[in-house]
Amino acid sequence: AYFVAAGLEDVLDYLANLRFSSAGLDYLRSTSIFTEDFLDYLGGLRFTGSVRAIPEGRLFFTDEPPIEVTAPVIEAQLAETFVINQINLQTILATKASRCVWAARGRILTDFASRRAQGVDAALKMARSSYIAGFQSTSNVLAAQRYGIPPAGTMAHSFISCFTSETGAFRAYASAFPDRAIFLLDTYDTIEGAWKAVAVAKEMEAAGHRLLAVRLDSGDFHSLSRNVRKILDGAGLDYVRVLASGGLDEYELDTLLRAGAPIDMFGVGTKAGVSADAPWSDMAYKLVSYDERPVMKLSPDKVSLPGAKQVFRFRDSAGQFSQDIIGLRDESIPGGTPLLTQVMAGGRRTGPDPAIAEIRDRFADDFRGLDDRFKELDEPPHYPVAISPGLERLAAQVREKIS
């Protein structure tokens, strides 16, 4: 029902630094496909154009353009694959993550996707995109350093296996991390592990520390969380939280919490990091104007609208989103807030990079403005997006000239 805009910062960095290295030119020369004059031209090529875009973190909807590039056609065309790769991937991941946040009903979510993401770059982008969409932390330390995201993690099963006893492993971990220890319970038997965690937690209490949480990583999370919670509460450890991880997505989170599973925190990885149920979307990069002449495609099922555009957002009296209208860039539509903003001109950014906290707040504000019916996990309604009269007239004129 909606998308979360993401990936723009990487696109702007790419465009600002667009150039061919000597090694790249040598490779192109070795193919014997290109003339020396053309290779000389590429050697001096820089992006000189402008970019208008929907800022990262904002919501947008089907058929709306999240980015518009205006430049000499060779510069704009060279950027096509990178633009689609970054905007499409990161938008998918941020949108998937936002659905998990909605399903989690205020519980803490941590990105655990790095090991199953499809490459290191995708793992970094998942960490950033999920944080924009409301996750609280990431297990990817490089992403935490690069983007300013709080790092988080727990012990590994292999850590426990290195010790002759599970209790010994818990004690060693508590000694290393006395104020942020999370014990992994399921290496051998989850319930037995819970009782051993209680014993070590009591030792921690005596030393002036508190166990932060216990982690469930397999089995029936609903019944296990209830049993583990009962054990913890019965031992006076009501402050110890329960973390679940392993194969979770928004559907599983929703099922568990609807059933009342006493889980406080979730580690969400594989199914969100690859957006398992919807790993791709149809994003296209289409020429809409050339030499000030509006153009469009008429291919079956791939019709594009001509001309430079703007997306206008309308809210009702309560401040909730009510409708979007896709119009022409220079069109004036009273009451609508334009979403596409100038972010690059003359090949340079028009302003400083926004802090990730600002992008995260932008998402939170937009998400509050979206009616809950559009956040439904299954078969949500389509958000109303209309075409302006001016854009409709232009499309009709261009279609007539083509035919």
Side-chain angles (χ1 to χ4, degrees):
Y2 67 88
F3 295 106
V4 180
L8 176 62
E9 291 303 304
D10 284 312
V11 168
L12 297 181
D13 285 343
Y14 168 81
L15 293 175
N17 296 287
L18 181 62
R19 63 201 61 211
F20 283 80
S21 67
S22 58
L25 292 171
D26 287 344
Y27 166 73
L28 293 177
R29 185 175 288 110
S30 73
T31 66
S32 300
I33 295 173
F34 307 103
T35 66
E36 198 61 35
D37 285 348
F38 181 63
L39 295 175
D40 288 343
Y41 170 78
L42 292 183
L45 183 70
R46 303 291 184 271
F47 183 76
T48 62
S50 63
V51 177
R52 297 165 63 245
I54 295 176
E56 285 193 300
R58 297 220 68 173
L59 302 186
F60 69 99
F61 302 95
T62 300
D63 295 333
E64 296 179 349
I67 186 168
E68 176 189 274
V69 177
T70 303
V73 69
I74 188 171
E75 297 174 19
Q77 198 67 63
L78 282 170
E80 175 178 9
T81 297
F82 191 87
V83 169
I84 292 178
N85 176 275
Q86 294 298 311
I87 298 290
N88 200 37
L89 171 66
Q90 295 184 54
T91 293
I92 287 172
L93 296 179
T95 305
K96 181 72 171 179
S98 75
R99 289 165 55 84
C100 293
V101 171
W102 173 250
R105 298 168 173 77
R107 271 67 167 187
I108 293 173
L109 294 182
T110 297
D111 159 45
F112 275 12
S114 294
R115 296 176 183 178
R116 307 288 169 71
Q118 293 166 330
V120 173
D121 184 63
L124 291 168
K125 299 315 185 241
M126 173 57 186
R128 182 177 184 273
S129 298
S130 63
Y131 187 68
I132 287 172
F135 279 42
Q136 282 82 9
S137 56
T138 180
S139 63
N140 187 321
V141 182
L142 178 58
Q145 177 196 37
R146 182 172 297 182
Y147 303 124
I149 303 171
T154 74
M155 65 199 328
H157 291 104
S158 58
F159 180 89
I160 295 175
S161 299
C162 288
F163 290 80
T164 56
S165 74
E166 197 171 25
T167 300
F170 289 167
R171 284 178 177 146
Y173 199 81
S175 176
F177 301 102
D179 297 310
R180 55 183 302 150
I182 299 175
F183 293 164
L184 180 58
L185 300 184
D186 74 323
T187 305
Y188 306 116
D189 179 272
T190 299
I191 301 303
E192 286 298 319
W195 285 112
K196 293 171 184 175
V198 164
V200 178
K202 287 298 183 180
E203 296 172 5
M204 294 173 68
E205 278 187 342
H209 302 288
R210 282 187 163 192
L211 178 63
L212 179 63
V214 294
R215 176 182 164 198
L216 313 176
D217 195 49
S218 61
D220 182 341
F221 289 140
H222 181 219
S223 64
L224 285 174
S225 64
R226 287 186 177 278
N227 289 330
V228 168
R229 182 77 268 164
K230 184 177 180 181
I231 291 170
L232 293 171
D233 291 348
L237 299 174
D238 58 312
Y239 59 84
V240 177
R241 291 183 283 188
V242 176
L243 163 67
S245 64
L248 298 172
D249 61 9
E250 67 266 43
Y251 302 105
E252 186 67 17
L253 297 180
D254 184 60
T255 298
L256 286 169
L257 295 179
R258 283 183 184 276
I263 301 173
D264 310 290
M265 308 159 66
F266 293 96
V268 179
T270 303
K271 290 183 179 179
V274 299
S275 190
D277 62 315
W280 59 273
S281 66
D282 252 340
M283 180 181 180
Y285 184 80
K286 296 301 178 185
L287 186 67
V288 296
S289 182
Y290 183 77
D291 196 23
E292 300 184 2
R293 174 175 57 88
V295 299
M296 65 187 299
K297 278 185 64 176
L298 296 179
S299 308
D301 300 322
K302 293 187 177 182
V303 175
S304 62
L305 292 169
K309 299 176 187 67
Q310 182 57 272
V311 179
F312 299 90
R313 177 151 299 158
F314 293 81
R315 294 178 183 250
D316 61 22
S317 58
Q320 294 291 101
F321 293 2
S322 59
Q323 178 186 358
D324 281 9
I325 295 179
I326 305 173
L328 296 171
R329 179 175 59 191
D330 299 324
E331 205 168 357
S332 177
I333 302 182
T337 300
L339 300 186
L340 288 158
T341 62
Q342 191 84 35
V343 291
M344 180 172 273
R348 296 185 178 184
R349 289 174 176 263
T350 56
D353 299 359
I356 195 168
E358 177 185 344
I359 299 170
R360 182 178 164 93
D361 289 344
R362 188 184 294 144
F363 163 76
D365 182 64
D366 265 19
F367 204 61
R368 282 191 296 269
L370 184 66
D371 190 278
D372 288 354
R373 69 183 187 277
F374 298 108
K375 301 170 187 175
E376 290 292 332
L377 301 182
D378 295 299
E379 299 183 4
H382 286 287
Y383 182 82
V385 177
I387 306 299
S388 74
L391 182 52
E392 286 185 339
R393 283 194 298 271
L394 180 63
Q397 292 166 5
V398 174
R399 185 187 292 266
E400 185 177 353
K401 288 181 180 180
I402 293 173
S403 57

